[in-house]
Amino acid sequence: MSNLFLAKSTPPETIVEHTNQVLFQYQRLKSCYPKIPYVNWDILYLACLYHDLGKMNTKFQNKVNKEIILLDPLTDDKEVPHGYLSPAFLPIDELIIKYDKNSLRILYQTIYYHHHRPDMNFENIKNTLKYDLDQYMNDFIFNKIEVPLKINKKYAKYTINCRIPSEFDDQETINMYIMTKGLLNRLDYAASADSSNKGKGSKLLVEEPNYDLLEKTITYVNTMGVLNELQEYLLTHSHDNNIVVASTGIGKTEAALCWIGNNKGFFTLPLKVSINAIYDRVKNKIGFEKTGLLHSDMPSEYLKRFDQGAGQPFDITMIERTKQLCMPLTICTLDQLIDFVFKYAGYELKLATLAYSKLVIDEIQMYDPSLVGLLLVGLKQVTELGGKFTIMTATFPPIFEHLMKHSLQIPFVKPDKPFLKLNEYGEPIIRHRVTVKSENLSSAAVLPEVDGKKVLIILNTVKEAQRIYQELINKDVKNVNMLHSRYILKDRRKKEDDILAMGKRECTETGVWVTTQVVEASVDIDFDILFTELSDMSGLLQRMGRVYRGRELIDERTNVVVFTGDPFPSGISYGKRTIIDADVFQESKKQLQLLTDPLITEEMKMELVDKVYSLEALEESNYYRKIKEAISTFRDIKPYEFDKSDAKLRNIQTETVIPSSVYRENEDQIQFCLNSIQRSVSWIEKIKALNELKEYMVSIPLYAFREAAKKSFVDHELMISKWEKICVVNYLYTSETGLVFKEDQEVSFY
């Protein structure tokens, strides 16, 4: 058995081999980011060196060898998790001379708790140390440990008797513990993942250096001109936490990349379609290859681009590198990062990573009140550890700023004025003239404008979009199209391509597109006129950004018509299913009705947001109350109160189905996909089959699915895997109108 103690079985790897791999990753991290705050590199090195030595115990070795190779002296005892044993090997006599008590607590507890395991009586731990591990001391040889291994059983005073954080710990001790434990976990997982992926792709490194994101971004901007005022500002404030408000189409993405510079960065957006677009832009136009894409469909999106592509073998380790946050730049959804606020076991890993990263928050106004509260608490914790953030938005609600300043004391800088898109004379561009109508949006109101223009109609609900679309068809309006969330993926993708094509400024085709919020944010289209229901002021300004997106309105025509409803537009109410808080809607409506001039400048738009989302306007609203309650809840969470499985940021309110007509038309291909997913041994083939299967799927509201089940509209179930199935549902579906069901209760989902 001499020195053949295993750390893992698949593939077999000894404790020495695994520890060497962890130390290799340690050196990699240190060389890429040598100045990480609250990290004592010597302490972290010791944690890496000793963290797995407890695996020398008999029960663990017999388990990973899958046979009895060692005689167990404690057959009646339960196995002691190796993390509880490893601290016994630390050279305590040397360490107490070199480090103070808190540093020793950090070191010992980092090792002791590096995996989350049930608590155990320390007498049981001591039994294993005394009667089991002690017999193997002379069999373990590791040239990186200069002092001969000895067991010290009196380390409870550094671990379970004084767990960090205690009521007596200062913030620096807590921060150092979070960083040491979080980084040990990252290094350990990276080493294990690299070992598991050996032979399947390139080597997995805990960090990929960022050499030239700044230079590539500036070079890209220079192909179109020079850095604008916003981009120069964020370059100058690259060491600050920032809140910047800027017009749509001004180059916020490039400004954010300038702020990240040649540092580790995360760029978050609310919608996957926007994330995919930014990812493609950074890789293909700016040319920064070391970019990761992180959301729930990440493997599929990687594989799609591989298929489209470059003719090289797909590097499967790219998926693991992205999941383990190894990339220098990652474009992602917020819930991939901020769930550490729940402080579940292991939360330190993400928080420690963000402590030496730069975090960009785009479109913060699109998150619901609970998520806003959680995000603000997360920013508080990140900045306390030294991480930086920049919030970029076209509309920043003042109540967010109030809460950041007064409830959470988050440090940031914010320029006095927004950054506005300028015309060729250096003056703020004028893009919109607005008419407000206190009535419901109707096809009759749209008809006078349909000829010879690109007309965009945005409704709050799918049901209302389908109604208006059908009315326009019935009135023989030419070239009417529709896009909402209730299409199967194959049809939706075609419609997205079509609206993007017509929305290009150089496209001369005219026509009408009836849509929902799916085009509200980050969809690069430029139409001539917008007819829209009011949702809230922030949403309205996002919608206006799809009309005269990059051009100046030089005549007196109205190009935005807003319908505030009578008394509400579709999807808005004081009920639980409202898509926008009714108080926010009412304040938005009130401010619109106070407008005396149809001309709305960019500054006026931002003033409108300031008024609607001011503390004075919303202090008594449910919207403000929900954010404050969320902050209070998340701020007071104690470490390890929650399981990771409970750390859910979004309530899943949709169910994915296949319409029965789609299934009948494509049954052979759907069954072929299911067969490939269930039987193929190739991971890539499974993902390809799953991607194709998704082409036939559509998400519907959970209430609609339950109603379908209740009324026996569920035709049958298809098993995707042992744990996952999808239902074929008898709702009407056509590629023209999408899914239609009577039970629609005016809930929009997008």
Side-chain angles (χ1 to χ4, degrees):
M1 190 63 201
S2 180
N3 219 32
L4 292 177
F5 299 101
L6 290 182
K8 54 190 293 189
S9 57
T10 309
E13 189 175 61
T14 67
I15 295 174
V16 171
E17 289 169 338
H18 174 67
T19 305
N20 276 327
Q21 286 302 312
V22 175
L23 292 173
F24 170 81
Q25 301 288 359
Y26 164 91
Q27 293 296 346
R28 177 77 179 188
L29 174 68
K30 189 176 179 181
S31 65
C32 288
Y33 299 103
K35 297 181 179 178
I36 298 176
Y38 298 107
V39 172
N40 181 320
W41 288 102
D42 294 336
I43 293 281
L44 181 57
Y45 178 86
L46 289 170
C48 294
L49 188 59
Y50 285 88
H51 78 287
D52 265 0
L53 297 197
K55 288 181 175 177
M56 270 186 271
N57 75 81
T58 300
K59 287 185 171 61
F60 184 87
Q61 290 304 311
N62 286 339
K63 182 172 65 180
V64 292
N65 279 281
K66 300 176 181 175
E67 60 178 320
I68 306 298
I69 62 167
L70 298 173
L71 188 60
D72 191 348
L74 300 169
T75 52
D76 293 334
D77 288 5
K78 290 182 178 178
E79 180 183 348
V80 177
H82 70 271
Y84 294 169
L85 302 170
S86 297
F89 296 99
L90 285 164
I92 184 63
D93 294 337
E94 290 188 4
L95 296 178
I96 58 177
I97 297 172
K98 193 172 182 179
Y99 299 109
D100 61 26
K101 183 179 178 182
N102 278 344
S103 297
L104 291 176
R105 288 172 64 217
I106 291 165
L107 172 60
Y108 273 87
Q109 291 187 35
T110 293
I111 296 173
Y112 193 88
Y113 295 112
H114 80 275
H115 293 304
H116 180 60
R117 296 291 184 268
D119 291 337
M120 181 167 271
N121 188 308
F122 201 71
E123 291 304 313
N124 293 339
I125 296 173
K126 286 201 290 189
N127 275 346
T128 300
L129 293 172
K130 182 177 179 180
Y131 299 110
D132 188 10
L133 262 72
D134 198 47
Q135 62 184 316
Y136 301 126
M137 289 301 92
N138 294 329
D139 293 336
F140 186 78
I141 302 169
F142 190 11
N143 60 8
K144 289 187 170 61
I145 297 179
E146 297 177 359
V147 180
L149 285 179
K150 288 191 298 185
I151 287 179
N152 185 306
K153 297 186 281 293
K154 298 180 180 178
Y155 55 89
K157 64 181 179 182
Y158 297 120
T159 54
I160 57 177
N161 293 342
C162 53
R163 187 162 188 185
I164 305 169
S166 75
E167 57 181 316
F168 306 109
D169 283 321
D170 56 34
Q171 194 59 48
E172 183 170 356
T173 300
I174 296 170
N175 289 352
M176 290 185 69
Y177 175 67
I178 291 171
M179 294 304 298
T180 310
K181 181 176 181 300
L183 292 182
L184 174 64
N185 285 149
R186 278 205 68 202
L187 299 168
D188 192 16
Y189 297 162
S192 295
D194 182 50
S195 173
S196 298
N197 283 306
K198 196 166 290 181
K200 299 178 183 175
S202 58
K203 187 169 182 60
L204 190 150
L205 300 169
V206 69
E207 287 294 354
E208 299 280 351
N210 176 356
Y211 292 121
D212 55 5
L213 174 60
L214 177 60
E215 290 74 14
K216 285 182 181 296
T217 303
I218 291 176
T219 299
Y220 172 70
V221 173
N222 286 341
T223 61
M224 300 174 287
V226 296
L227 294 181
N228 62 30
E229 187 182 7
L230 169 65
Q231 292 154 354
E232 289 281 7
Y233 176 87
L234 282 180
L235 200 54
T236 305
H237 289 79
S238 60
H239 299 295
D240 294 322
N241 302 314
N242 299 286
I243 296 173
V244 290
V245 180
S247 303
T248 54
I250 199 173
K252 290 199 290 288
T253 300
E254 289 76 11
L257 298 179
C258 285
W259 175 74
I260 291 173
N262 295 338
N263 300 284
K264 188 175 181 67
F266 293 91
F267 195 128
T268 69
L269 297 108
L271 304 176
K272 285 189 279 190
V273 63
S274 309
I275 290 169
N276 296 343
I278 296 287
Y279 171 78
D280 289 336
R281 187 169 163 190
V282 172
K283 284 199 72 169
N284 302 331
K285 293 191 175 180
I286 296 176
F288 190 69
E289 285 290 327
K290 292 182 177 180
T291 304
L293 174 71
L294 185 57
H295 56 62
S296 56
D297 292 333
M298 175 260 287
S300 297
E301 293 297 332
Y302 275 156
L303 206 55
K304 282 179 199 168
R305 284 154 181 78
F306 162 70
D307 281 340
Q308 290 165 4
Q312 296 180 352
F314 181 73
D315 185 357
I316 198 170
T317 59
M318 184 66 184
I319 292 172
E320 199 62 35
R321 285 205 296 272
T322 305
K323 284 162 53 177
Q324 299 222 12
L325 312 179
C326 304
M327 303 301 290
L329 176 65
T330 304
I331 319 295
C332 58
T333 47
L334 198 62
D335 50 0
Q336 297 289 339
L337 294 178
I338 301 294
D339 61 354
F340 66 81
V341 173
F342 287 92
K343 295 186 178 176
Y344 51 79
Y347 80 96
E348 299 93 346
L349 188 154
K350 289 181 180 176
L351 185 51
T353 304
L354 289 172
Y356 63 97
S357 304
K358 289 187 164 185
L359 176 62
V360 174
I361 313 292
D362 199 0
E363 310 287 8
I364 187 174
Q365 77 286 346
M366 290 190 69
Y367 297 116
D368 67 38
S370 295
L371 202 48
V372 169
L374 181 134
L375 170 60
L376 297 185
V377 173
L379 292 182
K380 170 71 172 175
Q381 295 173 6
V382 167
T383 52
E384 283 181 343
L385 281 165
K388 301 292 182 187
F389 71 85
T390 283
I391 295 173
M392 293 192 318
T393 179
T395 56
F396 186 69
I399 55 171
F400 294 0
E401 184 173 340
H402 173 83
L403 292 166
M404 291 172 74
K405 282 181 178 175
H406 301 288
S407 295
L408 293 165
Q409 293 82 48
I410 301 172
F412 63 86
V413 295
K414 179 171 176 278
D416 295 333
K417 294 183 178 180
F419 295 91
L420 305 176
K421 192 172 179 63
L422 306 178
N423 62 18
E424 58 185 310
Y425 306 109
E427 298 169 342
I429 191 170
I430 302 295
R431 298 190 293 181
H432 300 117
R433 287 179 181 274
V434 178
T435 296
V436 180
K437 293 180 178 292
S438 299
E439 58 191 68
N440 295 323
L441 196 159
S442 66
S443 57
V446 177
L447 283 175
E449 299 286 349
V450 296
D451 291 332
K453 293 178 183 171
K454 299 177 184 179
V455 179
L456 182 64
I457 305 172
I458 303 181
L459 290 308
N460 290 343
T461 66
V462 175
K463 181 180 178 181
E464 192 66 5
Q466 290 170 331
R467 187 184 71 79
I468 293 293
Y469 170 82
Q470 196 57 53
E471 284 187 9
L472 292 172
I473 292 293
N474 293 342
K475 292 174 181 175
D476 294 327
V477 175
K478 305 301 180 188
N479 202 13
V480 183
N481 306 276
M482 183 161 60
L483 172 62
H484 52 68
S485 60
R486 220 175 286 165
Y487 287 101
I488 62 170
L489 184 59
K490 184 170 75 171
D491 292 336
R492 177 167 172 169
R493 184 178 298 114
K494 181 179 185 310
K495 287 178 174 293
E496 287 173 347
D497 291 343
D498 289 346
I499 193 172
L500 285 169
M502 184 186 284
K504 288 181 179 176
R505 204 177 311 168
E506 62 270 22
C507 176
T508 57
E509 181 187 5
T510 60
V512 179
W513 274 89
V514 183
T515 73
T516 61
Q517 290 96 322
V518 293
V519 300
E520 190 170 295
S522 303
V523 178
D524 192 5
I525 54 176
D526 189 351
F527 277 62
D528 296 325
I529 187 166
L530 168 69
F531 294 87
T532 179
E533 291 184 305
L534 177 63
S535 54
D536 68 316
M537 188 61 73
S538 182
L540 173 62
L541 299 187
Q542 290 289 337
R543 295 177 184 190
M544 289 167 66
R546 312 306 120 188
V547 178
Y548 273 66
R549 182 168 177 77
R551 48 185 166 145
E552 190 158 20
L553 184 64
I554 55 177
D555 52 36
E556 300 294 318
R557 79 177 78 170
T558 292
N559 61 356
V560 176
V561 185
V562 184
F563 295 81
T564 61
D566 181 21
F568 293 107
S570 67
I572 311 284
S573 73
Y574 280 100
K576 291 182 180 178
R577 288 179 178 170
T578 183
I579 64 166
I580 291 291
D581 184 278
D583 294 327
V584 175
F585 167 81
Q586 293 291 14
E587 190 62 29
S588 302
K589 181 177 179 179
K590 172 185 163 186
Q591 293 300 331
L592 280 178
Q593 290 174 331
L594 291 174
L595 291 175
T596 57
D597 189 335
L599 180 67
I600 296 187
T601 66
E602 298 300 298
E603 284 179 303
M604 288 171 65
K605 293 175 188 174
M606 293 165 187
E607 287 171 4
L608 284 169
V609 170
D610 287 349
K611 290 176 181 174
V612 170
Y613 289 93
S614 68
L615 183 63
E616 294 75 19
L618 296 182
E619 191 168 15
E620 303 300 324
S621 69
N622 284 330
Y623 182 79
Y624 184 64
R625 178 182 55 77
K626 288 177 182 175
I627 298 176
K628 287 192 69 173
E629 287 178 354
I631 288 175
S632 178
T633 299
F634 295 125
R635 184 173 49 190
D636 295 336
I637 290 177
K638 304 296 182 190
Y640 321 121
E641 282 184 337
F642 283 85
D643 287 334
K644 189 171 185 179
S645 58
D646 295 327
K648 292 184 173 61
L649 305 189
R650 302 168 193 254
N651 291 323
I652 305 300
Q653 295 294 329
T654 62
E655 183 78 22
T656 302
V657 302
I658 296 178
S660 55
S661 60
V662 173
Y663 178 77
R664 287 194 298 273
E665 291 168 12
N666 303 278
E667 182 174 358
D668 290 346
Q669 194 57 32
I670 289 172
Q671 289 297 338
F672 176 79
C673 292
L674 291 170
N675 192 50
S676 297
I677 293 169
Q678 293 163 1
R679 300 186 181 182
S680 175
V681 295
S682 163
W683 178 87
I684 290 178
E685 293 304 316
K686 285 177 183 286
I687 295 296
K688 282 183 177 178
L690 184 60
N691 282 349
E692 184 169 353
L693 187 62
K694 286 180 179 176
E695 297 285 309
Y696 307 109
M697 296 180 184
V698 58
S699 291
I700 64 174
L702 192 56
Y703 77 83
F705 176 75
R706 287 172 175 163
E707 192 67 19
K710 183 179 175 183
K711 295 186 176 179
S712 301
F713 290 169
V714 176
D715 191 82
H716 62 286
E717 297 175 347
L718 302 172
M719 297 307 296
I720 298 175
S721 68
K722 186 176 179 181
W723 301 276
E724 189 178 7
K725 65 183 179 183
I726 186 165
C727 292
V728 177
V729 177
N730 281 320
Y731 276 133
L732 175 65
Y733 181 88
T734 71
S735 58
E736 181 187 5
T737 61
L739 199 76
V740 181
F741 40 83
K742 296 177 182 177
E743 296 78 10
D744 195 317
Q745 300 298 307
E746 295 198 340
V747 172
S748 177
F749 57 99
Y750 51 93

